[in-house]
Amino acid sequence: MDQPTTVDVLVVGAGFSGLGAAIRLAEDGVDDVIVVERGSDVGGTWRDNSYPGAACDVPSHLYSYSFALNPGWSRAFSPQGEIYDYIRRVTHDTGVREKIRFGVEVTAARFDETRGRWAVSTTAGEYDARVLVLGVGALCEPRLPEIDGIDDFAGPVFHTARWDHSVPLAGRRVAVIGTGASAVQVVPSIAPTVEHLDVYQRTAPWVLPRIDREYPGFERALYRRVPGLQRAVRALQYTSREFQVVGLTRTRAALAPIKAIGRAHLALSVRDPGLRRKLTPNFEIGCKRILLSNTWYRALTRRNVDVVTTPISRVTEGGIVTSDGAEHPADVLVVATGFHVTDSPFFERVRDAAGRTLADKWASEGMEAYKGTTVAGYPNLFVLMGPATGLGHSSMIYMIESQLNYLVDAIRSMRDRGLQTVEVREAVQNAYNRELRENTGETVWVTGCKSWYLDAKGNAPAVWPDFTFSYRNQTREFDLSAYRRTAIDEPAAVPTGQGALR
């Protein structure tokens, strides 16, 4: 493109949040929308995470858009491929695919204060947008471990989110670094075929049984034919998950039954007392994400699987050396070390009018936003799945749809009132986040474990510290009074936060 493409709303990312934004805006009559996606298809994390055993840990009926229920889920917990197919089908059925530009990665975005618009650079040219919506997701940038010598390893090395399906694992010695959500799914899937598997564990996770089952044909037929049945099941699943919030945010006593289930699951699955001690968590349940699996513990008891808890010292050409000097040979190295959640590299590309990146702002001042969506100093920017919107117990799609309510009403308010820019007042944002920090201080996430919920300062900016319906209530309508705004017909070059603001 020789000239910038002018668009009213530019959405970055075509996962659940970005696609949801495009769909909801189209329903509200906002047609001047473009979605840029760096990948070759929609799906986001469900496109990228195709490792063996990949599946959702939220019940299927709860893990879909409320406006596009899927009566055809095959299981209580859907596998990755099925969710990926669902996203593609919704994209086709809603007609938003024509708004998506694939293979386009955003390299820089800067707010132009003189025009009240965003100048966005991409690998396919420039865009000029009035509103910028970031739907880049929290699980889009894999976190690679900083281990001495890892670049010298002679065999294949890949992150679970970038699984190399061309690498055969059968009959080979494989090392898996990490015991988080993806490792709990990968290890049982590959253990029966590899010659030997070393699982490197820093912290033993809490693992609960996965109450999974296949949906028979007659049940799926009922969901298709009986009005309201699937919504009723979805409501029950949502309500049962919300009960966990009491233990996570208010009283530890409410977590006692869940903790008892986790301990019993471990005791019944692992008979070897030495291995059981290794796999016993040493932190409060819920402090790190609670994992679900019926096969994790069984896989670790296999003769060809070893759980290594001694810290890794370095990687050599032929394997891994632990701090006790032991050498563990390996042919393939699988990295299951999670993602950049509170420090995503993408935020280094987003700059305010003065050139300050969002990453710098959050690194120095803490990762904060107003209602997880807007940021003082960055007008007309809406961050989906932003600070303090993550969950450890339920479906993120519920939170995404809450934000979409707020986003759509914000753009509707701008349209109806003839506004060029809206920017949340810093005092409003600060007050909102002071209250969030006070609420988070009583939650399980700050009881001493290390998790992706926390930032470098030990705060928990990634997680919502309350019932999800309270967030839904906060975001039902755009509260224009919390924002500075400029009208379309106002003079240009009015400094942010000054001049003819209403």
Side-chain angles (χ1 to χ4, degrees):
M1 296 182 294
D2 296 330
Q3 297 295 324
T5 296
T6 302
V7 64
D8 194 45
V9 182
L10 183 67
V11 180
V12 183
F16 266 113
S17 57
L19 283 175
I23 294 168
R24 288 289 309 279
L25 288 170
E27 290 176 347
D28 202 59
V30 182
D31 296 322
D32 192 9
V33 177
I34 292 176
V35 181
V36 291
E37 165 58 50
R38 68 182 180 181
S40 59
D41 199 359
V42 299
T45 190
W46 294 106
R47 177 199 62 220
D48 296 340
N49 286 267
S50 61
Y51 57 80
C56 192
D57 58 2
V58 172
S60 298
H61 293 305
L62 198 54
Y63 203 79
S64 64
Y65 293 121
S66 64
F67 52 80
L69 299 188
N70 176 25
W73 293 122
S74 68
R75 306 191 62 83
F77 291 88
S78 305
Q80 172 265 337
E82 206 166 319
I83 299 172
Y84 183 25
D85 288 342
Y86 165 79
I87 299 172
R88 287 187 288 183
R89 185 167 62 253
V90 171
T91 304
H92 175 269
D93 292 347
T94 57
V96 298
R97 193 174 184 92
E98 63 185 23
K99 298 180 180 293
I100 306 172
R101 309 292 182 263
F102 292 107
V104 179
E105 183 169 9
V106 171
T107 56
R110 183 164 182 167
F111 186 70
D112 184 343
E113 198 168 42
T114 61
R115 299 184 305 114
R117 297 181 68 86
W118 282 91
V120 182
S121 300
T122 77
T123 53
E126 306 295 315
Y127 287 85
D128 180 76
R130 185 167 67 105
V131 174
L132 181 62
V133 179
L134 302 185
V136 296
L139 306 180
C140 67
E141 297 292 345
R143 180 183 294 277
L144 300 176
E146 296 180 0
I147 302 175
D148 184 37
I150 196 169
D151 293 335
D152 299 327
F153 186 68
V157 180
F158 49 85
H159 193 279
T160 51
R162 301 292 184 267
W163 193 271
D164 190 343
H165 291 276
S166 68
V167 176
L169 300 182
R172 306 182 77 179
R173 297 169 300 181
V174 179
V176 174
I177 300 177
T179 53
S182 59
V184 164
Q185 295 180 344
V186 165
V187 167
S189 300
I190 67 174
T193 61
V194 302
E195 177 187 323
H196 186 81
L197 179 60
D198 284 324
V199 179
Y200 291 85
Q201 172 186 279
R202 183 176 61 185
T203 306
W206 281 97
V207 182
L208 300 182
R210 186 182 186 88
I211 313 302
D212 194 13
R213 66 182 179 87
E214 185 175 352
Y215 288 137
F218 78 86
E219 185 173 354
R220 282 177 276 166
L222 285 175
Y223 290 135
R224 290 189 183 93
R225 297 172 185 172
V226 179
L229 177 60
Q230 189 174 17
R231 291 196 181 277
V233 172
R234 178 183 170 100
L236 286 173
Q237 291 177 342
Y238 169 79
T239 303
S240 66
R241 294 235 156 190
E242 284 300 282
F243 279 121
Q244 296 182 31
V245 176
V246 177
L248 295 172
T249 67
R250 285 163 172 77
T251 173
R252 304 285 183 277
L255 293 172
I258 302 175
K259 189 183 300 186
I261 293 171
R263 286 173 173 163
H265 185 41
L266 173 59
L268 292 172
S269 303
V270 181
R271 299 296 185 181
D272 180 355
L275 179 59
R276 193 162 59 242
R277 280 193 297 272
K278 282 185 177 182
L279 301 178
T280 300
N282 61 1
F283 57 91
E284 182 63 84
I285 191 168
C287 186
K288 297 164 74 77
R289 189 174 181 96
I290 300 171
L291 308 180
L292 305 178
S293 177
N294 298 328
T295 56
W296 168 248
Y297 288 138
R298 290 206 306 268
L300 300 183
T301 63
R302 293 178 60 92
R303 292 183 179 180
N304 67 327
V305 177
D306 284 327
V307 178
V308 183
T309 58
T310 307
I312 295 174
S313 176
R314 66 184 187 277
V315 176
T316 65
E317 186 175 305
I320 293 176
V321 178
T322 48
S323 61
D324 58 359
E327 297 187 15
H328 306 265
D331 303 313
V332 180
L333 182 56
V334 176
V335 178
T337 48
F339 298 84
H340 290 278
V341 176
T342 60
D343 59 345
S344 173
F346 183 86
F347 298 126
E348 297 173 0
R349 308 174 191 180
V350 181
R351 297 178 181 271
D352 64 11
R356 187 186 192 190
T357 70
L358 193 52
D360 287 341
K361 178 181 177 65
W362 281 344
S364 61
E365 301 175 12
M367 189 179 184
E368 295 183 350
Y370 180 59
K371 299 187 177 180
T373 309
T374 55
V375 184
Y378 296 78
N380 293 14
L381 176 70
F382 294 84
V383 184
L384 301 179
M385 296 177 65
T389 61
L391 300 178
H393 71 287
S394 192
S395 174
M396 274 305 302
I397 300 177
Y398 183 90
M399 299 295 281
I400 290 170
E401 289 198 42
S402 299
Q403 285 188 285
L404 295 181
N405 291 339
Y406 196 70
L407 166 68
V408 171
D409 198 44
I411 294 178
R412 183 187 302 131
S413 298
M414 294 175 70
R415 178 187 63 201
D416 294 347
R417 294 172 179 265
L419 299 178
Q420 181 65 26
T421 67
V422 292
E423 177 197 348
V424 65
R425 300 174 187 272
E426 189 167 10
V428 173
Q429 178 177 304
N430 290 343
Y432 177 84
N433 283 280
R434 275 197 303 271
E435 184 176 356
L436 272 184
R437 285 193 297 272
E438 291 172 2
N439 292 340
T440 305
E442 302 298 322
T443 65
V444 71
W445 302 297
V446 292
T447 55
C449 72
K450 184 176 181 181
S451 75
W452 61 263
Y453 299 132
L454 305 178
D455 62 12
K457 301 178 185 295
N459 297 317
V463 65
W464 173 247
D466 205 343
F467 295 101
T468 60
F469 57 77
S470 67
Y471 184 75
R472 174 65 59 91
N473 289 335
Q474 284 189 10
T475 52
R476 286 190 185 279
E477 295 180 348
F478 183 67
D479 45 345
L480 190 60
S481 62
Y483 289 78
R484 299 181 183 275
R485 58 263 194 195
T486 62
I488 290 176
D489 57 356
E490 286 181 14
V494 177
T496 300
Q498 301 177 25
L501 299 174
R502 294 167 178 78

